[in-house]
Amino acid sequence: MAVLAKESFMNHFSSSRLAASMLVIAAFLTACGGGGGGNSGSDRPATTAQSSSSANNVVSSSSSSLSSASSFSSSSSTPADPQVWQAGVFHSESHYADKCAAPRTGVNPVTGNAYRDSQGSYIDENNFLRAVSHDLYLWYNEIEDVNPAAYSNVETYFQQLKTAELTPGGNEKDKFHWSQPTDVLQSNTEQGVIYGYGISWENDRGDMVVALVEPYSVAFNAGITRGMKLQRVDDIALATLSSTEVSRLMTALYPSQRDASHVFRFETLDNQLKTITLTASDNDLYAVHEARLHQVAGSRTLYGYLLFNTHHAHAEYELMESIKWLKERNIDKLILDVRYNGGGYLDIASQLSYMISGVFSEGKVFEKMIFNDKHTAINPVTGEALVPVGFHKTTLGFSVEPGIALPTLDLSEVTIITGAGTCSASESIINALAGAGVRVTLIGDTTCGKPYGAYMIDNCGTSYFTTQFRGENSKGFGDYSDGFIPTNSIFLPSQAHIKGCKVADDFSESLGSFDESRLNAALYYDVFRNCPPVASAARASKGPVGSPVSLPGRQDALISDLVRSAPGLNDKLARHPQ
């Protein structure tokens, strides 16, 4: 049996992408209902009980935001003047929404609607964030209440509007507090486009290496491949990198200036030096990079392999086509690779979980949203009753016409390849499937630990992610703030420990290759129900379809700080109502 080549699979997507992209834009504009970039114009519903829609509170337009018409209760001693700050006293965000220090004019190019910004000040913007955080932030009572006038930089003020508490494992309780320009976020999550070179970086024992290259991106077209080590950028040598050079290096690695051009020097896997000039541009961000078939020698089991990297809107189409392809080939088992998938839309995670499990998730809860103690019965953003969300069985209009039945593999077990970059919506897949009774095996590393999500808050051209809810599965479990941990043991200490193997990433092989360490360990574990005893010595042997390298983890703090993902692709995002 032949392995489907990456090029042929990606060409299938590429030829269909333009038409599907037009569909998602059309669906997006239809769902917006007048939403602008900084604020939508669709009011946050009053918090009264009403029937839940079929897609509940995670479906609809993502460009909508908390609006100036929204309101919530405040202290009875609230001063009459909302501009007067008093510790512990809060006004509705409607007093401050769209009042901007630098108001935008004109029309949002994504929604086609006029911006609603009016002249205000940084204090108005800070007051807006303070009010919204007090209402919606999951740990609102752990925020130190600071005078909004004390911070002239809005981003700096936003960064202190979060808890300083730690998890039981000693990690930051909230390490997911971020903001991004609204137009950039919409480009990433809705249109599946990211600006730069199309490279994802990882830290490999102190070396900065190429982990992932987006198909048909600037880097792809320049011949850059996984495993190449970065030696130099312009006149900055990484071997002698100083703290004073970090800012310039970050600007080169993650450019924001249009058509920015920089000279990169790499060391290839065969120890050759390669100098390449890269000019930043918009790159299509593919959700699915690989769909392959594998067999192990001596076994008739046919494994499907799916490399899934982000839950953006276009993922609906790509995943649907990929699962169809695997289903047509009658695979027996699935290996889902989400090692670099930081998350995105929760609805996409629900759809994929259903396509994997099918009949085995019937009647089960995908995720139950739990907000703070002010909102125990009603979703404060949609106004709908808080009821558990099931597994989505149909398309929702992200990039395919809504209402189409999703293809299913009907698998009672799945192997998932994970890493530290497996986060948020990707972790929801793990939790939901385990909660539905599907046997989940983890191969790789502990996930990031983010059982939390949010509706994006847009104001004055910036989108803010501030944690608003946590999720629980069908068994009522959602306590994995220190990550899901692959554990090779009969006895599991908690539901966050899932049977499997810890295996280091292998940058010497392409993703989807039979000999890549984590994929090979996944095949080995499935055959022998145990981890390879010595990673460099034990391996599965390739069958008709179709040696792990041990990379001990040595962290280099400076290089680690340079590795990052695009905000908005690294979270659990719920879509706003129409």
Side-chain angles (χ1 to χ4, degrees):
M1 299 181 188
V3 177
L4 180 68
K6 174 179 179 179
E7 287 74 22
S8 63
F9 189 67
M10 293 310 302
N11 284 337
H12 169 68
F13 276 145
S14 185
S15 63
S16 308
R17 186 178 178 89
L18 178 60
S21 295
M22 294 302 292
L23 175 60
V24 70
I25 294 171
F28 171 62
L29 292 176
T30 301
C32 280
N39 206 281
S40 72
S42 60
D43 297 340
R44 176 147 65 114
T47 53
T48 54
Q50 55 182 274
S51 300
S52 171
S53 67
S54 60
N56 200 15
N57 48 14
V58 291
V59 185
S60 244
S61 167
S62 67
S63 75
S64 301
S65 66
L66 303 185
S67 79
S68 57
S70 61
S71 62
F72 52 83
S73 61
S74 59
S75 168
S76 59
S77 60
T78 300
D81 186 355
Q83 299 300 328
V84 176
W85 175 75
Q86 182 179 334
V89 177
F90 299 86
H91 292 275
S92 165
E93 75 264 24
S94 63
H95 290 290
Y96 317 107
D98 305 319
K99 295 180 180 178
C100 312
R104 297 162 297 168
T105 58
V107 174
N108 183 308
V110 175
T111 67
N113 295 297
Y115 293 119
R116 296 179 54 178
D117 299 0
S118 62
Q119 187 63 56
S121 69
Y122 74 86
I123 299 177
D124 290 314
E125 293 188 40
N126 287 348
N127 268 316
F128 173 82
L129 293 172
R130 174 178 177 261
V132 167
S133 298
H134 181 68
D135 183 37
L136 295 181
Y137 187 61
L138 187 60
W139 307 287
Y140 69 94
N141 54 358
E142 296 176 16
I143 298 175
E144 180 184 0
D145 191 14
V146 178
N147 189 344
Y151 289 82
S152 60
N153 184 294
V154 177
E155 175 63 24
T156 302
Y157 184 71
F158 172 68
Q159 287 303 324
Q160 64 86 40
L161 289 172
K162 66 174 187 174
T163 180
E165 298 296 314
L166 301 177
T167 68
N171 300 309
E172 282 185 77
K173 189 173 181 178
D174 186 357
K175 54 186 176 183
F176 311 103
H177 203 69
W178 56 270
S179 66
Q180 189 178 38
T182 300
D183 58 348
V184 174
L185 180 71
Q186 290 175 343
S187 178
N188 290 348
T189 59
E190 288 295 326
Q191 297 172 316
V193 174
I194 191 166
Y195 184 75
Y197 314 113
I199 300 175
S200 295
W201 306 94
E202 286 289 327
N203 175 25
D204 177 26
R205 301 174 295 171
D207 289 319
M208 195 163 186
V209 300
V210 176
L212 196 70
V213 176
E214 288 299 326
Y216 316 115
S217 65
V218 171
F220 178 91
N221 293 331
I224 295 172
T225 58
R226 173 176 167 83
M228 292 173 64
K229 296 178 183 178
L230 184 62
Q231 300 281 322
R232 176 184 291 271
V233 180
D234 297 332
D235 62 342
I236 304 171
L238 268 70
T240 58
L241 183 66
S242 68
S243 57
T244 59
E245 294 175 311
V246 170
S247 178
R248 283 202 300 130
L249 181 58
M250 291 292 282
T251 299
L253 293 175
Y254 307 102
S256 57
Q257 181 181 345
R258 301 306 297 184
D259 300 320
S261 186
H262 296 276
V263 179
F264 290 72
R265 187 169 73 183
F266 294 94
E267 180 184 339
T268 64
L269 288 172
D270 58 358
N271 301 315
Q272 301 297 310
L273 293 179
K274 192 171 185 179
T275 299
I276 303 172
T277 299
L278 297 177
T279 301
S281 182
D282 288 328
N283 301 279
D284 283 339
L285 192 63
Y286 286 87
V288 177
H289 279 214
E290 295 275 1
R292 292 192 180 191
L293 303 177
H294 287 293
Q295 275 187 306
V296 175
S299 170
R300 300 182 66 179
T301 301
L302 184 61
Y303 297 89
Y305 169 83
L306 188 67
L307 176 59
F308 174 43
N309 292 326
T310 183
H311 296 69
H312 61 38
H314 202 270
E316 181 179 53
Y317 167 75
E318 295 181 40
L319 288 169
M320 188 175 178
E321 291 299 307
S322 300
I323 297 297
K324 276 184 188 176
W325 187 86
L326 293 170
K327 183 179 179 70
E328 288 166 358
R329 279 142 187 85
N330 297 312
I331 65 167
D332 301 299
K333 296 186 177 183
L334 176 70
I335 299 172
L336 175 66
D337 193 339
V338 290
R339 74 184 79 185
Y340 302 134
N341 193 323
Y345 287 127
L346 189 59
D347 286 321
I348 298 293
S350 176
Q351 288 179 320
L352 177 57
S353 298
Y354 175 70
M355 286 190 276
I356 293 169
S357 57
V359 296
F360 295 99
S361 57
E362 288 285 348
K364 302 292 177 66
V365 171
F366 172 74
E367 185 158 297
K368 178 182 178 182
M369 287 174 152
I370 300 173
F371 289 83
N372 65 35
D373 58 10
K374 299 178 184 181
H375 308 291
T376 58
I378 301 297
N379 183 312
V381 177
T382 68
E384 295 178 346
L386 281 173
V387 295
V389 180
F391 288 72
H392 292 318
K393 299 180 179 181
T394 64
T395 56
L396 299 171
F398 281 94
S399 49
V400 180
E401 254 185 82
I404 299 173
L406 294 170
T408 60
L409 298 174
D410 297 317
L411 298 176
S412 62
E413 59 182 294
V414 63
T415 298
I416 301 180
I417 296 178
T418 61
T422 304
C423 201
S424 203
S426 293
E427 291 174 297
S428 289
I429 294 174
I430 298 170
N431 198 44
L433 290 175
V438 174
R439 185 172 75 178
V440 177
T441 299
L442 297 188
I443 303 292
D445 205 353
T446 303
T447 64
C448 85
K450 188 172 185 297
Y452 313 115
Y455 293 85
M456 293 304 298
I457 299 170
D458 303 337
N459 193 53
C460 296
T462 300
S463 293
Y464 298 92
F465 184 95
T466 178
T467 299
Q468 296 156 15
F469 60 85
R470 63 183 177 87
E472 291 183 351
N473 65 16
S474 222
K475 296 179 180 178
F477 178 72
D479 186 13
Y480 51 91
S481 57
D482 288 313
F484 284 109
I485 306 164
T487 307
N488 188 26
S489 173
I490 297 175
F491 303 103
L492 302 176
S494 74
Q495 292 185 64
H497 292 76
I498 294 182
K499 287 188 177 181
C501 312
K502 282 205 169 186
V503 180
D505 212 344
D506 176 6
F507 299 103
S508 69
E509 296 285 347
S510 61
L511 295 168
S513 165
F514 188 94
D515 292 320
E516 191 277 317
S517 292
R518 287 179 172 170
L519 174 53
N520 195 271
L523 294 166
Y524 185 98
Y525 188 91
D526 189 71
V527 172
F528 298 104
R529 302 316 301 171
N530 206 347
C531 299
V534 180
S536 59
R539 70 172 75 187
S541 299
K542 189 180 295 186
V545 178
S547 309
V549 178
S550 178
L551 300 177
R554 176 173 67 81
Q555 288 289 326
D556 180 284
L558 194 55
I559 295 299
S560 293
D561 289 343
L562 295 173
V563 175
R564 73 180 192 190
S565 299
L569 304 176
N570 213 29
D571 278 292
K572 182 188 296 186
L573 303 180
R575 270 193 160 192
H576 285 270
Q578 296 182 17

